[in-house]
Amino acid sequence: QKTSFHRCQTMDFKNGYAFFRLPREGVGGDTLFANQLSQDELDDLCTKGATLTYGQVKRPAPSRFTPAFVAYDKRVLKFDAYFMEEVALSAEEHYRIRQVGIYYYLEDDSMCIIEPKVKNSGLLQGKLMRRHRVPKNVHGDYYHWKDLNLGIDLTIYGRTYRLVNCDSFTKVFLESQGIVVNPPEELVSDPYTEQRRTPVQKRIVPTGPDPFRQFLAYDTKVLRFYAIWDDTNCAFGDHHPCIIHYFLADDTVEVREVHKRNDGRDPFPVLMRRQRLPKIFVDKNKNFPSCVLEITDHEVQEWYSPKDFAIGKTVTLLGRTFFIYNCDKFTQDFYREKYGITNFQPVDVNKKPLEKVPQVIPPYNGFGIPEDSLQNCLSLFPKPPRKDIIKMLENNLKVLRYQVALESPVPEDKHRRFILSYFLADDTISIYEPPVRNSGITGGKYLRRTKVTKPGSTPENPIYYEPSDFTIGSTIEVFGHRFIITDADEYVLNYLERNAESFPAATVQSIRDHFLPRKVVVETTSSGFPKKDLDDLIVEVQKELKLQEPFDTRQFHEAFHHCDTEGSGFLDKTRFLTLCDRFNVPTSTILLKKV
């Protein structure tokens, strides 16, 4: 008799937030007791059964759940089907039957269509549709395995497939699901493919002579001749080596030019394409356009044949003259069997080497060094002469310096002194004149660094000055100017003594004799004589000499060396005083005794 079944409000708001509260009264306004059980406790009581003993009754385990992707894993329904494809532009077929296989995957209800590949079919075969769920209609439904059966038409993306058969697993599965499987149908074959499989009727060969006998007998058999095309009559002509191929299968001739590396010609191997070449023409009208129309048997009386080619013969092919000088082994065997020719001696066509014209070197013109000027005669683009790098590295920064005097009839040149530097790295010489104040002569560079030839040497075989030619008192002629070596650097003596085996003994001894008096002075200074007194004595002698008339130092040195026959650097007191008295040096007897 209860008529009110409304539920109590359980939603409320507090401080602007909605929250859930327990109902204050039951359904229809019934009173709720304070010790009422919760919903979880009520659910537990519903599942409990009556027990006669103490303890809770064991509930049976729920049945095991298996998902579809596990239950139907690797289970596929396979149907044999075909579809008809229209062929628009073909005179031999109007439609084409293409056989396919439709695969339905039970694990995810996806489908794919695969067409077996046929060799040389010219069609894009294989997987026609990738695996995915195929839509059934515009309402969003998808194809299910319940929609598949034999003998039905299945439309997928506008193409209709006819299902004709299936495999045994597919048939058992559909029947287990309560689907009546229709009887299989015969798979329709492509009419054009069946037509291609029918055997072609063989052509009946006539009893007369076979026109292809020459082709079948001589196919792939070619005569090869080695020839020379003489093109020297034309401008910039030359002898071109060529290979003439005669094809026995159809009596055609081909000419190929043999190219060599860096021969300067265009790399076109075929000089004449393969064709039949006429030998003798029939008398024809002058207005016959032979340069336009092809030449046939009506215009040619005789074509070139194998008997027209032989070693030592000259043949004219399309206006070009070829001289045959050799052939290969197959060609020799062919002529030996068919024509009985046994002489196949090749002709020597190699050019005789031209006589080498001796190169005449023009005389040296005096500009630069002869080696540098010679490069202009040896090549169009001259290169600098090669240098001895090892010698330059070993003798880098090694310079022999000498003091030289100019031998000249001009009185103003007698007192001029020069520094001659010999560079061991490249055997060059430079001459420098130290500036002298109020001399009236501008000093500086007298000769730039260059090689200097000895007098009497020829430009074809120049002989340059060497360190062995520089001795004290020797004369050096430099481009018409004569210089006399009067002094040398101490480094010259040290270098000659370290490399004494490379220089003449006379050169080394000359430098030693020149430096011997200096060594005596050093020894005298170190022997206990006060150096200050010796320096004062030298200054005093120099002052005395300046008061005298112009003093000839060279004659004074020569007189001392002439008296010192042993080369010891010492003279006794008597000879010393005699020489000083002869040259009037010094005038003071007291100063002379001190010396």
Side-chain angles (χ1 to χ4, degrees):
Q1 297 177 358
K2 190 174 182 178
T3 58
S4 178
F5 298 94
H6 65 274
R7 298 185 62 182
C8 182
Q9 180 68 24
T10 58
M11 296 293 296
D12 200 354
F13 286 88
K14 187 174 183 180
N15 296 331
Y17 292 93
F19 67 94
F20 175 79
R21 60 179 175 81
L22 295 176
R24 298 178 180 176
E25 53 185 14
V27 179
D30 295 343
T31 304
L32 292 178
F33 299 97
N35 57 352
Q36 186 176 0
L37 297 177
S38 63
Q39 186 65 32
D40 295 337
E41 293 176 344
L42 292 176
D43 294 340
D44 292 339
L45 291 176
C46 292
T47 56
K48 291 182 179 179
T51 57
L52 300 177
T53 57
Y54 64 90
Q56 187 177 1
V57 179
K58 295 182 179 180
R59 291 178 291 179
S63 59
R64 184 177 181 183
F65 172 73
T66 304
F69 66 87
V70 176
Y72 297 113
D73 185 29
K74 297 182 181 179
R75 296 193 177 186
V76 184
L77 305 182
K78 196 259 183 180
F79 296 90
D80 295 332
Y82 68 89
F83 67 93
M84 183 182 300
E85 185 180 29
E86 183 181 359
V87 180
L89 303 176
S90 178
E92 298 181 356
E93 56 178 343
H94 302 288
Y95 65 93
R96 185 179 295 120
I97 300 297
R98 300 177 64 174
Q99 301 174 359
V100 298
I102 300 177
Y103 297 87
Y104 186 93
Y105 297 87
L106 296 173
E107 57 179 339
D108 57 355
D109 298 329
S110 60
M111 298 174 62
C112 76
I113 300 176
I114 299 176
E115 180 182 8
K117 292 186 178 181
V118 179
K119 189 176 182 181
N120 297 329
S121 64
L123 302 175
L124 295 176
Q125 297 175 326
K127 183 175 287 189
L128 301 182
M129 185 184 73
R130 65 177 179 83
R131 178 179 172 182
H132 66 288
R133 295 189 67 187
V134 181
K136 182 178 180 181
N137 49 39
V138 296
H139 303 294
D141 300 333
Y142 296 93
Y143 276 109
H144 196 259
W145 53 266
K146 297 178 182 180
D147 302 324
L148 305 179
N149 204 337
L150 303 183
I152 66 172
D153 293 334
L154 190 66
T155 302
I156 299 177
Y157 296 123
R159 180 177 288 175
T160 302
Y161 298 87
R162 181 70 177 181
L163 308 183
V164 295
N165 203 350
C166 64
D167 58 0
S168 58
F169 171 76
T170 304
K171 185 176 181 181
V172 172
F173 178 79
L174 294 178
E175 291 178 349
S176 65
Q177 300 298 327
I179 298 177
V180 179
V181 181
N182 299 330
E185 298 179 359
E186 184 179 357
L187 189 62
V188 181
S189 58
D190 185 23
Y192 181 73
T193 305
E194 295 297 330
Q195 179 185 355
R196 293 293 301 271
R197 291 176 181 175
T198 56
V200 181
Q201 295 182 358
K202 294 184 179 180
R203 178 175 173 270
I204 300 175
V205 181
T207 57
D210 189 1
F212 300 103
R213 181 179 179 181
Q214 180 182 359
F215 174 78
L216 297 176
Y218 295 107
D219 187 25
T220 69
K221 294 183 180 180
V222 184
L223 304 180
R224 178 182 295 178
F225 301 93
Y226 301 97
I228 290 292
W229 171 32
D230 188 0
D231 192 29
T232 54
N233 295 330
C234 301
F236 310 105
D238 197 1
H239 292 83
H240 305 267
C242 301
I243 297 177
I244 301 176
H245 291 152
Y246 188 94
F247 297 87
L248 296 172
D250 53 358
D251 296 327
T252 55
V253 180
E254 178 191 57
V255 181
R256 287 179 171 267
E257 186 176 0
V258 179
H259 291 280
K260 297 180 181 179
R261 190 174 183 180
N262 298 329
D263 57 359
R265 297 188 179 94
D266 294 333
F268 296 108
V270 179
L271 183 63
M272 296 184 188
R273 64 176 179 85
R274 181 177 174 181
Q275 58 183 314
R276 294 185 68 186
L277 295 179
K279 182 181 179 181
I280 301 176
F281 285 93
V282 180
D283 295 338
K284 55 185 178 180
N285 299 327
K286 295 183 179 180
N287 55 0
F288 179 76
S290 59
C291 62
V292 179
L293 298 181
E294 295 182 357
I295 300 175
T296 61
D297 295 336
H298 299 286
E299 292 82 18
V300 179
Q301 183 177 351
E302 183 181 356
W303 301 88
Y304 272 103
S305 60
K307 63 182 179 180
D308 299 320
F309 298 89
I311 297 178
K313 272 191 175 183
T314 301
V315 294
T316 303
L317 307 178
L318 298 182
R320 293 181 175 88
T321 302
F322 296 89
F323 176 75
I324 302 175
Y325 65 89
N326 201 356
C327 61
D328 61 355
K329 187 177 182 305
F330 172 77
T331 307
Q332 297 177 8
D333 297 339
F334 176 81
Y335 277 89
R336 188 180 295 109
E337 295 176 1
K338 189 168 184 178
Y339 298 102
I341 300 175
T342 57
N343 185 15
F344 299 101
Q345 184 66 26
V347 181
D348 187 11
V349 294
N350 295 327
K351 295 182 181 179
K352 295 182 180 179
L354 300 176
E355 296 182 1
K356 188 175 181 180
V357 179
Q359 186 178 10
V360 179
I361 303 299
Y364 177 59
N365 56 5
F367 292 96
I369 60 176
E371 289 83 358
D372 196 8
S373 300
L374 181 62
Q375 299 299 322
N376 296 275
C377 305
L378 300 180
S379 62
L380 185 60
F381 300 97
K383 298 180 180 179
R386 292 190 176 183
K387 299 180 181 179
D388 192 351
I389 304 299
I390 304 299
K391 182 179 179 181
M392 295 177 63
L393 295 176
E394 292 178 352
N395 299 312
N396 188 27
L397 303 179
K398 293 183 179 180
V399 184
L400 305 181
R401 294 180 176 85
Y402 302 88
Q403 180 180 350
V404 295
L406 180 62
E407 186 181 42
S408 174
V410 181
E412 290 79 5
D413 295 339
K414 291 185 178 181
H415 301 286
R416 297 177 65 181
R417 295 295 179 265
F418 301 87
I419 304 298
L420 187 146
S421 301
Y422 186 90
F423 297 86
L424 296 172
D426 53 357
D427 299 330
T428 56
I429 295 176
S430 69
I431 300 178
Y432 176 79
E433 182 180 9
V436 179
R437 296 183 63 181
N438 299 326
S439 64
I441 298 175
T442 304
K445 183 183 294 185
Y446 187 81
L447 175 68
R448 68 176 179 85
R449 183 174 176 179
T450 182
K451 286 187 175 182
V452 180
T453 58
K454 293 182 179 180
S457 62
T458 61
E460 292 77 13
N461 188 18
I463 302 175
Y464 299 101
Y465 277 106
E466 297 178 354
S468 59
D469 300 323
F470 298 94
T471 58
I472 302 299
S474 62
T475 302
I476 306 299
E477 184 173 344
V478 180
F479 301 118
H481 299 270
R482 298 172 61 87
F483 295 89
I484 300 175
I485 300 178
T486 59
D487 196 0
D489 194 356
E490 188 175 355
Y491 176 77
V492 177
L493 177 62
N494 298 335
Y495 180 80
L496 294 181
E497 289 180 345
R498 286 198 306 267
N499 303 276
E501 66 279 356
S502 302
F503 301 97
T507 303
V508 181
Q509 188 63 34
S510 173
I511 303 300
R512 287 175 179 171
D513 296 344
H514 178 71
F515 280 92
L516 187 60
R518 300 182 187 180
K519 291 185 178 180
V520 172
V521 173
V522 174
E523 293 174 357
T524 305
T525 305
S526 60
S527 62
F529 191 85
K531 185 174 185 302
K532 185 175 183 306
D533 297 344
L534 181 62
D535 294 339
D536 294 341
L537 179 60
I538 292 174
V539 172
E540 190 175 355
V541 171
Q542 289 178 349
K543 289 182 179 179
E544 187 69 23
L545 290 176
K546 289 181 180 179
L547 299 176
Q548 301 293 332
E549 296 180 357
F551 183 69
D552 192 350
T553 309
R554 180 182 174 186
Q555 294 182 1
F556 190 66
H557 287 177
E558 290 178 354
F560 268 86
H561 284 289
H562 180 72
C563 295
D564 186 12
T565 56
E566 299 179 356
S568 60
F570 293 91
L571 290 178
D572 54 5
K573 185 175 181 181
T574 305
R575 290 185 180 182
F576 174 72
L577 294 176
T578 303
L579 290 175
C580 292
D581 183 53
R582 188 171 66 181
F583 287 95
N584 297 323
V585 226
T587 55
S588 174
T589 307
I590 301 174
L591 184 62
L592 184 61
K593 290 182 179 180
K594 288 183 180 180
V595 174

